[in-house]
Amino acid sequence: MKALFKQPLTTETVMEGLNVQFECETEEDSSSVQWFKDDTPITFDTENVKMETLPGHIYKLSISPASLQDSGRYRIEKNMIRSEAILDVKEMPETIKQMSDHDREEFLKATQSGTSKRYNVRVMIVGKGQVGKTCLLRRLMKEQIDDVKSTDGLDIVRKKCQINVDTGEWDLSTPGKDPYCIWSGQNEQFADCGFWDFAGQKEFYATHQTFLSSSAVYLLVVDISEEFKEKTYNRMIEESYDSIGEYIEFWLDNIHCYSTEVDDGSIQYNTNLDLNPPVIIVCTGIDKIQSAAIEERKQNFHDYLGKTLSLSAKRRHLREVHILSNEIPSDYGEEFERLRKDIFDKARTLKNWGDNLPTRWLVLEKEIYTKISVGIYTLSYNEAIKLAMDCSFPNLKQTTSELDSFLKYEHDIGNIIFFEDVKDFIVLDPKWLVDVFKCFVSHQYKRELINMPEWSELEKKWEIVR
C-alpha cells in the first residue's frame, strides 16, 4: 500500500540566521523516506541540517540556522509518493550585519512577526559652488529654476519623489505636497527617492562628513565650461582650488572613504571591479560653449578623466558622465531622462536595495515620517516608546531592546540622529540638525558680526564662549 501524506510539507519564508523546519506526517507504513533539495538527495546530517523520524510517522528536516544557500525546493518521497515545498531565505540587511550580536538578535526576533521589502534611493549632490547643483535638482524634478539661490551651508532639500521599482518611472505628480506625507503612505511598488543638496563652499566641507553615506548614489556636478587641470596638493592645502580637476579629485577622495567593495581574501583581488558608492559626473554649462567647440570640449573632458584617474583606485566609483544644460533643458530632455534612469539603475546595485525589514519597524518608520510632515522634528525617548507601542512593538514595559535596535538602525542608514548615551533627544529629521549648523557656519556673515566678541573668539580659538 502506497504511503499517503496526511500532513504535507508547507512552503517557508525565513530571515537568514533563523531556524526553520520542514515537517510532514504519513499513513502508517514501515518503509523509509528520502529527502531532496533541488532534486539532489540529502543523504546525511550536516552541521546545520538534521533529519529526524518522530513517533507517529512524523518526519522532520531542521535547518539551524538558515543561510541564503539553503534557499531552494525541498521534497520528501516515500513509496513513490512525494510532497514538496519551497524555502525562501531572505537576506539580512547589510547594515544589520554590521551591528552588534545583540542588535542582530533583536532584529531576528522582530522578523518572526512578518517582514516587508523597503526600497530607498538616496542621492547626494556634491561639487563646487555655483556650478548648478540646485538647478540640476530642480530640472530632475521638472521644476522651474527662476528663483534658485546659492545653497547656504548644507541643505537637505525636501524635494523627494517615488520611483516605480518595476518600470523605473519617476512619479513627479505631487508638486507642492510635503514629501514626508507622501512617504508615510509608501508601499513595495515604489522606491522612496530623496536628494541631499550640499553647498559647494569650502567653509562647509567639515559638516559634510556628518551626512555622507556608503548607501547613496553621488552626483558630482562640474561646470564643463571652466578650466580643468591636474590638482597640486600644495594648492589644495594652502590656497583655493577652483579647477574642475581639483574638485573632482577632492570629492572622489571623500567618497572613496566610504568604499564598500573590499577583498575578502577568498578570491584574487580584481582591481577592475566597480566600487560602491557609485558616482555619476554631471557636467553643466555646456550652453556656455560655442557650438563649434562643444564636441572638442566633451572629448577633452573624457580624455582628462582617463589620463588623471586611470591608475587610481577611486576611478572604480565612476559610472557615467552626463553633459547637459540647466538653462535650456528642452535641448537636453533625453539626457535628463537618461540621467534619471542611471540614478535608478545605480541605486539598485547598492546593498540596501530591497532590504527585508520587520513589518512593525516599517510601520514605526512611517509614523516618524508622519510626525515630520506636521512639523515635529525631535522626540524624547518616552515619546518614542509610546510611538513604538502604537506600532505593536511588544513588551516595551519590560524591555526597550528592540526599540533601541530600531533607532540605531535608523541612525546608521541616516534617517534619524540617535545616540545611546543621549537617548532622550532623538532628531527625526537630519534637516533640523542642518538648520542648527547654519546658525554657526555660513559664508555670508558680514556686518552683523562687527563688535561681537563671541564671534571674534570663535574665529581665533574655534571656541564658543558663554
Side-chain angles (χ1 to χ4, degrees), residues 117-267:
K117 282 187 178 293
R118 198 270 302 279
Y119 298 95
N120 185 62
V121 182
R122 177 169 295 175
V123 183
M124 305 289 203
I125 306 178
V126 299
K128 176 187 171 184
Q130 304 292 328
V131 295
K133 296 186 297 297
T134 302
C135 290
L136 173 67
L137 172 54
R138 292 280 193 95
R139 292 307 191 192
L140 284 171
M141 304 296 288
K142 298 185 178 179
E143 297 177 353
Q144 298 301 313
I145 63 172
D146 300 337
D147 60 340
V148 169
K149 297 179 181 179
S150 177
T151 304
D152 180 17
L154 166 67
D155 194 11
I156 301 176
V157 180
R158 290 192 182 186
K159 292 185 181 298
K160 304 177 181 176
C161 67
Q162 294 186 312
I163 305 175
N164 189 301
V165 298
D166 295 323
T167 65
E169 294 181 5
W170 290 40
D171 181 5
L172 305 172
S173 61
T174 52
K177 190 172 182 180
D178 191 305
Y180 284 104
C181 181
I182 299 171
W183 281 16
S184 65
Q186 62 186 318
N187 57 57
E188 292 189 12
Q189 183 183 355
F190 292 95
D192 298 317
C193 184
F195 295 87
W196 301 49
D197 182 11
F198 288 76
Q201 295 81 10
K202 285 179 62 178
E203 291 87 345
F204 308 117
Y205 288 171
T207 67
H208 294 164
Q209 303 303 319
T210 308
F211 303 98
L212 297 184
S213 168
S214 61
S215 300
V217 177
Y218 286 79
L219 302 186
L220 176 49
V221 186
V222 300
D223 187 335
I224 197 171
S225 70
E226 295 180 355
E227 172 148 2
F228 43 88
K229 57 187 176 183
E230 295 182 33
K231 71 176 183 180
T232 63
Y233 283 102
N234 287 336
R235 288 191 67 232
M236 292 186 71
I237 295 171
E238 299 173 4
E239 305 174 22
S240 63
Y241 44 106
D242 296 326
S243 73
I244 290 177
E246 291 167 337
Y247 272 93
I248 287 176
E249 295 230 37
F250 170 81
W251 279 110
L252 287 178
D253 283 335
N254 276 268
I255 295 167
H256 191 55
C257 294
Y258 296 85
S259 172
T260 57
E261 300 283 345
V262 295
D263 180 23
D264 61 5
S266 61
I267 57 175

Side-chain angles (χ1 to χ4, degrees), residues 354-379:
D355 272 352
N356 294 289
L357 295 173
T359 302
R360 59 176 175 252
W361 284 28
L362 289 177
V363 172
L364 180 52
E365 193 177 75
K366 291 178 184 180
E367 288 300 312
I368 289 175
Y369 293 151
T370 300
K371 292 286 185 184
I372 297 172
S373 71
V374 296
I376 299 174
Y377 304 120
T378 64
L379 278 186

Side-chain angles (χ1 to χ4, degrees), residues 21-140:
Q21 297 176 346
F22 286 111
E23 189 174 290
C24 69
E25 180 182 358
T26 68
E27 296 284 357
E28 184 174 349
D29 193 297
S30 59
S31 58
S32 61
V33 301
Q34 176 65 61
W35 288 94
F36 295 83
K37 177 183 183 291
D38 297 329
D39 296 327
T40 299
I42 303 174
T43 56
F44 53 86
D45 292 346
T46 64
E47 184 177 352
N48 72 315
V49 178
K50 183 179 180 181
M51 297 173 285
E52 297 178 88
T53 301
L54 305 178
H57 305 285
I58 296 174
Y59 301 90
K60 183 165 70 172
L61 178 72
S62 302
I63 305 174
S64 307
S67 66
L68 297 178
Q69 292 71 29
D70 293 317
S71 291
R73 180 165 51 87
Y74 287 80
R75 183 172 85 247
I76 185 172
E77 290 187 0
K78 185 173 185 179
N79 290 343
M80 303 300 292
I81 303 295
R82 65 175 59 182
S83 177
E84 63 182 35
I86 300 296
L87 174 60
D88 179 17
V89 181
K90 296 182 177 295
E91 184 172 8
M92 181 183 291
E94 188 65 26
T95 301
I96 297 293
K97 292 179 182 179
Q98 302 304 318
M99 295 173 72
S100 69
D101 290 343
H102 171 76
D103 291 324
R104 289 197 297 272
E105 290 174 5
E106 291 296 331
F107 169 84
L108 289 173
K109 285 192 292 185
T111 63
Q112 295 182 63
S113 63
T115 64
S116 299
K117 282 187 178 293
R118 198 270 302 279
Y119 298 95
N120 185 62
V121 182
R122 177 169 295 175
V123 183
M124 305 289 203
I125 306 178
V126 299
K128 176 187 171 184
Q130 304 292 328
V131 295
K133 296 186 297 297
T134 302
C135 290
L136 173 67
L137 172 54
R138 292 280 193 95
R139 292 307 191 192
L140 284 171

